[in-house]
Amino acid sequence: MLAIIARIKEDITCVFERDPAAQSIWEVITAYPGFHAVLIHRLSHRCWQAGFRWLARFISHVARWLTGIEIHPGAEIGRRCFIDHGMGVVIGETAVIGDDCTLYHGVTLGGTSWKKGKRHPTLHDGVVVGAGAKILGPIDIGQGARVGSNSVVLKPVPAGATVVGIPGHLIDPNVKQEKAEREAIAYRMGFDPYGAKADMPDPVANAINRMLDHIQAMDQQLENMKKALNEAGIQYPEPLIPKLDGCEIEDSYQPEQKPDYKS
């Protein structure tokens, strides 16, 4: 009984750490559907493990009706998991969620196969999944990874990486494995709500810009070769190559310009 109370206190504390809108313990207990969904899931999961499959499914069905969050009783959820807002969250039967994970509304941890066995994702400790993101298939999302809002992730994500887009692209494809343990203070300081920020670079734009830089470097090399050939008395025909001026793609969020009413 004491262990159950301690787990509930942990769940309440993590709400205050990750949601500045939380005002009181009573508010969290009575008005946070994500807290309710995780709490009820622990009961349904125990019933599922004990072999009372119909009862477990019925409890999870009631929880879905009350909270708008559907968690299959077979899913495994770690400690201090916070589901913010929560409406429309779907967590499949073989999904595994580690400690200190955060999920926002509209998140789906779904499967891509009708076959039995492991078919849903595994989220390691400290993962943040933004609103509307879909993580599909038996893939691993590494410790401390971030999944941006509305992303569709179909491949494993390394620890500490940030993935955005449809399909998901890594912000830094050369990301290295981070340490397994992170201090609690550093975790709170590095917490990105919804798994993305306004100034986050666009990996597609970054790739295109890199290719443009490469092409421009090749053009410069050809110019140098042409100059050397001309100096050696060898005539080099001029090819018709279109200019690339102005082809760069902006890869950061541009704030909206406010109208100047004085002019």
Side-chain angles (χ1 to χ4, degrees), residues 213-233:
D213 292 340
H214 182 73
I215 293 171
Q216 289 173 353
M218 292 177 65
D219 287 345
Q220 184 61 46
Q221 188 175 14
L222 286 173
E223 287 291 333
N224 294 336
M225 292 174 62
K226 181 178 71 174
K227 183 178 179 181
L229 289 172
N230 290 335
E231 290 176 353

Side-chain angles (χ1 to χ4, degrees), residues 33-34 37 63-64 67-71 83-91 103-109 130-134:
R64 175 191 179 189
T67 65
I69 300 170
E70 180 172 348
I71 308 176
I83 303 177
D84 198 2
H85 303 297
M87 181 62 69
V89 169
V90 177
I91 300 175
L103 279 63
Y104 287 88
H105 52 280
V107 167
T108 299
L109 305 183
K134 316 299 178 188

Side-chain angles (χ1 to χ4, degrees), residues 139-204:
I139 59 177
D140 279 13
I141 309 299
Q143 180 180 353
R146 303 285 193 268
V147 178
S149 299
N150 293 318
S151 300
V152 177
V153 183
L154 303 172
K155 297 179 180 180
V157 178
T162 298
V163 61
V164 297
I166 304 174
H169 300 281
L170 293 177
I171 291 297
D172 180 8
N174 298 318
V175 66
K176 297 181 180 180
Q177 296 287 334
E178 294 185 343
K179 294 181 179 179
E181 297 180 358
R182 290 164 40 177
E183 296 180 354
I185 296 177
Y187 172 77
R188 288 195 293 270
M189 290 178 64
F191 180 73
D192 295 331
Y194 297 97
K197 298 184 291 186
D199 59 350
M200 182 173 289
D202 183 349
V204 177

